[in-house]
Amino acid sequence: MSARIGVIGTGIMGADHVRTLAREVSGATVCAVADVDDVRAKAAVDGLADARVHTDPHELVRDDRVDAVLVASSDATHEEFVLACLAAGKPVLCEKPLSPTVAGCRQVVDAEVRLARRLVSVGFMRRFDPGYVALRERLRSGAAGAALLLHHVHRNVAQPPGRPTSALVTGSAVHEIDVTRWLLDEEVVTVGGFLPRRSRLVAEPTHDPLFLVLETAGGVVADVEVFANAQYGYDVRCELVAERGTAALAPASPLLVRQDAAAGHEVPPDWRARFADAYRRELQDWVDALGTEVPSCGASAWDGYVATAVAERTVEAIGAGSRLRVDLPPRPALYDTA
Ligand code: ISE
């Protein structure tokens, strides 16, 4: 039987998830969507038989036909809707970040621990990207020797004006924070950040680009360039430097184009194109795990909490102009892996 999914938020990401679930994921049907914008919600389910449109997301969570919920509304609303899913006992996949504040993430972790059931997954889709997966497997195989350094690059074409600088960390670099701890299986213990010369193409109050430095418990140093208004395309890179060599993500495009006196790889316009395969794999994994006792392989609420805790501390470190320690509370036993 197909799992009946309700999607909260039908903006860019939510509408994309509806399409992927309906067309590319087996064992799932989208049976409801909710959005404050009724027109947008209706457009997202155009052509999907029997999908209900709610204007109140809480109604969607309560809807008996909905077995599981995907939250893709604005970041600040994630906590409220994930908590509603926990109260209703429904599995929920929440887009990253679990909450933009560490206090919000903690509420979710505490509610899940009280329930003593793992119902929350967080959409850190890079954990399903074949390139990142290959990098992790290479490290785990021991072929590269021990990891020493990670170089991350995270560039977007442009961001809506007015985005606070902190959002470049809590909304964008939070991916690199998650991927660093997932690749290395180590926690980040100190964080620091620089404000390089500000691009004159970016309006106040956003300071762009940023340069972050994360150090893990095992002494690996990861640097992260975040450039949210890089103009030319969506470019995500990751290079591992290890004892016996290096390994880096290959260019996202399989084509080498020679034209107009130039040769090169095309760069995707945004993350949906770059990570389409990762999103599909993430959703399939989540759907496959529904109704089983085994949680999906994706990030847990605890992972969501830690990523935001490290991101928040990084924002503080940038403000303080110095490196700061990250002190995490003990991980609740619910999140122990077998
Ligand atoms: C966006 O919200 C995402 O989640 C993308 O994956 C990320 O690369 C981008 O920087 C964010 O703005």
Side-chain angles (χ1 to χ4, degrees), residues 253-337:
S253 155
L255 278 191
L256 174 65
V257 179
R258 295 185 180 85
Q259 199 174 332
D260 300 330
H265 293 279
E266 287 176 344
V267 182
D270 67 24
W271 59 90
R272 287 170 303 163
R274 166 65 181 83
F275 288 112
D277 194 23
Y279 282 119
R280 184 184 55 74
R281 288 168 190 262
E282 171 189 67
L283 291 175
Q284 188 66 66
D285 176 80
W286 179 62
V287 165
D288 289 347
L290 291 175
T292 73
E293 287 308 306
V294 187
S296 82
C297 306
S300 65
W302 176 253
D303 295 317
Y305 165 79
V306 174
T308 295
V310 174
E312 229 176 50
R313 197 69 175 145
T314 307
V315 172
E316 280 171 44
I318 295 172
S322 58
R323 276 169 74 194
L324 295 179
R325 278 193 59 80
V326 179
D327 289 310
L328 294 172
R331 185 178 64 191
L334 181 66
Y335 302 102
D336 288 350
T337 41

Side-chain angles (χ1 to χ4, degrees), residues 95-96 125-126 154 156 159 163 171-172 175 234 236 271 275 279:
E95 258 306 329
K96 52 59 51 182
M125 77 298 187
R126 293 187 187 184
H154 187 149
N156 300 77
Q159 298 278 293
R163 203 176 178 210
S172 293
H175 279 294
Y234 182 72
V236 164
W271 59 90
F275 288 112
Y279 282 119

Side-chain angles (χ1 to χ4, degrees), residues 13 71-80 82 93-102 104-105 108 120-124 163 166-167 169-175 178 300-301 303-309 311-312:
M13 219 43 250
V71 174
S73 46
S74 55
D75 294 359
T77 63
H78 289 180
E79 174 195 346
E80 174 187 342
V82 172
L93 169 60
C94 178
E95 258 306 329
K96 52 59 51 182
L98 179 55
S99 160
T101 69
V102 75
C105 293
V108 173
V120 180
S121 302
V122 180
F124 282 121
R163 203 176 178 210
S166 59
V169 183
T170 58
S172 293
V174 71
H175 279 294
D178 178 66
S300 65
D303 295 317
Y305 165 79
V306 174
T308 295
E312 229 176 50

Side-chain angles (χ1 to χ4, degrees), residues 206-230:
T206 317
H207 191 111
D208 194 22
L210 301 179
F211 189 82
L212 317 177
V213 182
L214 318 171
E215 189 192 356
T216 70
V220 178
V221 172
D223 59 80
V224 188
E225 173 203 311
V226 189
F227 193 7
N229 296 271

